[in-house]
Every structure is written in structure tokens, then in C-alpha cells.
Amino acid sequence: MAPSPPPSPNPALSRRQLMAAIGAVTAAATGALAVASSAHANPPAGAKHQLRGLWIASVVNIDWPAAPGLSPERLRADFISQLDRARTLGMNAVFVQIRPTADAFWPSPLEPWSQWLTGTQGQDPGWDPLDFMVRAAHERALTFHAWFNPYRVSMQPDPTRLVPNHPARLHPEWTVSYGGKLYYNPGVPEAREFCRRAMMDAVHRYDIDGVHFDDYFYPYPIAGQDFPDDAAFTAYGTGFPDRAAWRRHNVDLMVREMKDLVRAVRPEAAFGISPFGVWRNDTSDPAGSATTAFQSYDGLHADTRGWVHNGWLDYIAPQLYWNIGLAVADYGRLAPWWAAQTTGTGTQLWIGQSVYKAGATGQPAPWQDPAELSRHLTLNSTLDAISGDILFSAKDVWADRLGSVTRMAADHWQRPALVPVLPRLASGAAPARPLILPPRHGESGLRLSAGHGSGTRRPFQFAVYRYDGHPGPRPPLSAEHLTALVPASEGRFQDPAGTRNAWYVATAVDRVGRESRPSATMHLSY
């Protein structure tokens, strides 16, 4: 994950500098977005199922680990802190980068230990971070999405600086150097196959909830320097009208085949991608968005719209890292465009939000307004196809410059939310109806436990609903009554609003968001 490039890439600038170039061009929000642009918008109550995600980036130690070579105790404590803060903020999912540069945060038999973990590529840390991270997330009822970078080998171009047994050194024919970095060549079938096997090792071995790619397929282009894949195109490009079509085909193969592999190994895991936020401009393609920005279809050879329409993704999370009203890439136009692309496809739409911009030095005026981020979610709430957001990235969320994140959460995340149920999983069996029990003598708070039944699924968490009056024989399990999500490992609920006179029911919820029938009603009066 990284800042998005500008409408016309300038090779002399970094991606973050390019993003700033976009931000220099602003325009007033349209009248149709007036409610979303209000400084004190009053958003609706919100959906009960809504993805609230956090990106935790490991490459160059962006978020976690905070630095290479920290002790296992410090690393575990820091990661638990990230999870606890995410849960307190109202999040229900983390997207953790576990293969940032053809390396691993688990004991992979195929790739070396990550240098971002130990400080030295290939050095065994003496423990299994991925096993720990997955368990820690699940104990807190947070779903864990394993974030992989498919092709990036190194943040520098010299293969001799890799460990001697690195696959990229053993198979130099798989790699290319471009833009100061080293990549596996997506056009070499053996390289693609190796990358799939390397990623699928983690999918096989760990109880993850999702497989996640970001926006890196073919690298962002540098003017005057084409990606050096002449030999691969000569060998494998026969039958394609041009090199661009062949490159898109190579990326399509990775996406389609990873979808098939993930579903075969973990049928309930979500497979999704967070691409650059513009597929094509409508000046290039009538199906494109009303933008004048860089195009992922042409520049990265990533047919993001095609993946949605072909049913290859469970969700897509476009990086809409621009403010409402920006002339070249207006959030207010792109969010509805993506909603239109995903409607009726079975692909969930979650929006990548650029928290890193809020209050940051050098960002344009809209990002100096504490309400800009909240306005994005207000606009999202008017589009039924949008079922969540992912925030980039953890360190900026915790920095909370201008109080933008606090405001967004107060406006939109006052009540908890279950993860959205993927359409292909909606008909699956839910957990058994749970038991809700009164406090024991001398204690306070409700007790929750799994129901009984042959072959029933164990709950991941309990959803607790509160009513100020008796809810009747069929309690409404609506967002306005949802008051807490309790991890199954805890099994106890203390109402922060007090229990002077209230009625409660609970449901058991599995990791994909399916909900049981409600428990019996429990009345507490103190």
C-alpha cells in the first residue's frame, strides 16, 4: 500500500511527491455532495454489517515492527497494542503485511525470513510471528487478512545483496530490475508459479480470514524506461495484439488462479485486492470514471474492473486517496463509480481511505479540515454497494492529526459492526443459538456461552442487543440495538451504559459474519 500517483506520472518524483502534485489541484464539491461536505454532517445510524479495517504495513517498518531487530517480547507487546487500539476504535478487521518483499513473517520453506523483522534477511527470529498474530487477532474477535505483495523482491535493485539461497538469486531469469527495485517478472510462468506457491504456503498453514493484495502488479511506470521484459514477451507473447494486452493477461492469470487456490484451500477466506483508485478515465473508455488521472488498466496492466465483472474477487478496496472536489480525481465521483461497477456482481466494495493525508504537512486545504475523512464515510452511507472502509495506515490512525480519526469514529462508528457476509457464503450454517445467563452472586454483567447441538459451528463472538422496553417474542436484531460484540474467548458482557432497567438478547456470530438465532431474553434491573 502506498500513496497513489498523479494523473500524469512524472518519473523524477517519488510516489508520495506525485500524490502531493495531485493534491495541489482542487475544485469545489458539487451541489449533489453538499450533505457529505457539510462540516457537521449528521450521518445515518449505519449498517449492522460493515467492514472496518486497518492496514498494518511491515515494509520499511512503516507500522509494525516499529524497527528491525526488536526482541520477541517487544514485538508481541507492540502488536497486541495495535490490536487493542483497533478494537477500541471500533474496527473488526486487520490487514497485516506478511510478505512485503519476497520474504516471510513465518517459517517459510520457500523464502527467507524478512529483514524488516530481524534486521537481517534470512535470520530466524526464534518464534513464529504469523501464528502469534493470527491467534492474537482472533482472541479479540478481529478477523486477520494476510497481506501479500505478489512480485516485489527487494527495495533495491542488486540481487547479490539478497541472501545466497534466495530464489531470486538462484533464478535470475525470473527477475528484472526496474526503478531502483528488483521484481519477479509477471511474464515468466515459472516466476508466477513460484510466487503463488510461496503465498499459498501461508494460506495452507495458518487459520487466516483473507488473502489480500495491494496495488503493485507491474510497477508504476517511469517515463522513458519501459519495464525490461523483451525476452519474456518474445518467448510467451505470441497471439496477443500488443505487449500491454499480454501484460494484462499475465496479471489476470495471477488473480484468477489465486482466487481458485484460496477457495480450494480455505473456502471461507476472502480473496481481495486494493488497487489504485482509477481503472480508466472516461476520455479513454466510455465505461471509465469522470477523472483525468493515472489509469491502472494502462499503467499497471491491472484490469481492476474486469476482475470484478469476472467474479474473481470477493471484495475490491480501491484506494480512493483523494479529497471530495479534487478536479482530476474527485472522491465524490469515484465512490459512486465504483459502487456502480460492483452492484449486482457479488463482489463487496470496501474503500481504501488515506488517513495519512489528514493534517499532514504539504497536503491541500481539504486535508487540513478535520471533517474531510468523516465526509467520505457520510457519502459512502448514501451508496448501498459500499460496505466498509480500510484505513491506511496504522501509524497515521494512531497519530490522529487534527482529530480526524476521532471525529470519523464519533460520526460513524458509535455502534459496533459485524463483518459483511460474503454473498457466496451467506447460505452457510450459522452457530447454534447461544445461552445468555444472569450474573453470579457478587458479580455483575451477563454471561454468554455457546449453544449446544450436533455439528454446530463454534462462535467467534457474541453480538449483544439492548432494549429499553421488552422486545417481545421476536426481538429486532437491528443496528440501533446492537450494543456490543464480545469475543467468544471472553464470554462476559458489562453494559457500559449501565443496567438499571434493560432487556438483552445475544446471538452467536462466526468469523464470516453469519449470525445465529437470538438467545432467550434477559431482563436486568438494578
Side-chain angles (χ1 to χ4, degrees):
M1 202 64 48
S4 311
S8 298
N10 181 336
L13 301 178
S14 71
R15 293 183 67 203
R16 192 170 289 273
Q17 290 171 319
L18 292 174
M19 194 65 214
I22 289 184
V25 185
T26 60
T30 64
L33 294 171
V35 64
S37 301
S38 168
H40 297 286
N42 184 22
K48 189 172 80 170
H49 289 265
Q50 183 182 65
L51 193 284
R52 299 175 182 175
L54 176 69
W55 274 301
I56 300 177
S58 61
V59 68
V60 300
N61 300 110
I62 292 175
D63 296 315
W64 183 91
L70 299 177
S71 70
E73 294 76 18
R74 168 70 186 278
L75 289 167
R76 287 191 284 263
D78 286 355
F79 192 75
I80 286 173
S81 176
Q82 300 266 8
L83 299 182
D84 288 344
R85 295 172 81 175
R87 185 179 169 196
T88 299
L89 190 62
M91 295 180 172
N92 52 29
V94 291
F95 295 74
V96 184
Q97 193 174 34
I98 65 166
R99 185 184 181 261
T101 48
D103 50 11
F105 275 70
W106 74 97
S108 169
L110 300 173
E111 295 185 307
W113 283 102
S114 177
Q115 71 184 83
W116 316 116
L117 179 67
T118 63
T120 302
Q121 187 176 70
Q123 180 178 320
D124 189 338
W127 62 298
D128 188 340
L130 182 52
D131 179 73
F132 165 77
M133 290 189 290
V134 172
R135 291 176 185 273
H138 289 169
E139 287 170 1
R140 290 158 178 80
L142 294 165
T143 54
F144 186 98
H145 296 253
W147 170 12
F148 301 89
N149 188 286
Y151 294 118
R152 186 171 59 203
V153 174
S154 176
M155 300 297 285
Q156 55 79 37
D158 183 1
T160 66
R161 292 173 58 185
L162 304 173
V163 291
N165 63 344
H166 196 295
R169 287 191 69 173
L170 299 177
H171 295 279
E173 72 277 10
W174 292 356
T175 68
V176 293
S177 175
Y178 182 73
K181 297 181 177 66
L182 192 65
Y183 298 91
Y184 284 120
N185 188 343
V188 175
E190 293 84 1
R192 287 199 308 270
E193 170 60 21
F194 173 79
C195 291
R196 286 193 296 269
R197 286 195 296 117
M199 293 184 284
M200 287 303 299
D201 179 68
V203 181
H204 277 279
R205 295 168 57 191
Y206 297 90
D207 194 18
I208 61 175
D209 301 290
V211 171
H212 180 76
F213 291 171
D214 57 8
D215 53 324
Y216 289 102
F217 293 96
Y218 279 85
Y220 282 85
I222 299 171
Q225 299 181 38
D226 199 8
F227 189 74
D229 56 0
D230 288 352
F233 182 56
T234 298
Y236 306 109
T238 302
F240 292 91
D242 53 41
R243 190 174 306 204
W246 171 71
R247 288 175 176 172
R248 278 191 295 274
H249 171 73
N250 297 332
V251 176
D252 284 351
L253 284 176
M254 173 64 82
V255 173
R256 188 188 70 206
E257 291 170 5
M258 278 298 293
K259 180 266 295 183
D260 292 339
L261 290 168
V262 171
R263 290 188 186 178
V265 173
R266 293 200 178 275
E268 294 196 344
F271 174 56
I273 295 175
S274 178
F276 180 75
V278 174
W279 170 69
R280 298 194 92 188
N281 303 313
D282 59 5
T283 53
S284 299
D285 191 312
S289 53
T291 50
T292 55
F294 177 82
Q295 304 174 120
S296 64
Y297 180 92
D298 303 274
L300 305 180
H301 310 293
D303 185 8
T304 55
R305 179 176 179 266
W307 305 337
V308 169
H309 291 183
N310 288 330
W312 295 347
L313 303 177
D314 288 312
Y315 69 86
I316 193 163
Q319 298 172 32
L320 302 192
Y321 288 177
W322 305 289
N323 57 273
I324 293 172
L326 181 65
V328 296
D330 185 349
Y331 186 98
R333 292 179 179 272
L334 280 165
W337 184 87
W338 278 104
Q341 305 314 307
T342 54
T343 296
T345 64
T347 302
Q348 299 275 300
L349 175 57
W350 308 335
I351 304 298
Q353 299 288 353
S354 55
V355 179
Y356 73 90
K357 283 188 170 184
T361 302
Q363 292 297 333
W367 291 110
Q368 308 308 323
D369 182 348
E372 177 66 23
L373 183 60
S374 183
R375 282 194 286 264
H376 291 198
L377 271 65
T378 299
L379 175 59
N380 291 0
S381 70
T382 69
L383 299 166
D384 291 342
I386 299 178
S387 56
D389 300 271
I390 315 176
L391 309 186
F392 185 78
S393 68
K395 69 180 179 64
D396 295 295
V397 171
W398 312 138
D400 194 16
R401 292 179 297 270
L402 306 179
S404 297
V405 175
T406 298
R407 173 156 186 168
M408 178 212 70
D411 287 348
H412 300 279
W413 291 0
Q414 289 187 11
R415 291 189 176 275
L418 305 176
V419 296
V421 181
L422 300 179
R424 66 180 177 84
L425 301 178
S427 61
R433 181 189 192 200
L435 301 177
I436 186 169
L437 304 169
R440 291 190 177 97
H441 181 70
E443 296 181 349
S444 62
L446 296 169
R447 292 177 290 142
L448 305 164
S449 65
H452 303 289
S454 175
T456 56
R457 300 169 61 88
R458 297 290 299 174
F460 182 55
Q461 61 188 343
F462 300 104
V464 181
Y465 297 83
R466 173 184 168 132
Y467 309 87
D468 293 329
H470 195 290
R474 302 175 73 87
L477 304 179
S478 57
E480 64 182 306
H481 294 293
L482 180 60
T483 193
L485 296 175
V486 179
S489 58
E490 295 179 8
R492 183 178 294 276
F493 168 69
Q494 182 73 50
D495 193 339
T499 53
R500 296 178 186 276
N501 189 28
W503 285 258
Y504 299 89
V505 300
T507 60
V509 186
D510 67 13
R511 274 165 43 196
V512 301
R514 292 181 297 231
E515 197 171 12
S516 75
R517 294 182 297 114
S519 69
T521 302
M522 178 63 62
H523 179 222
L524 293 182
S525 179
Y526 294 148

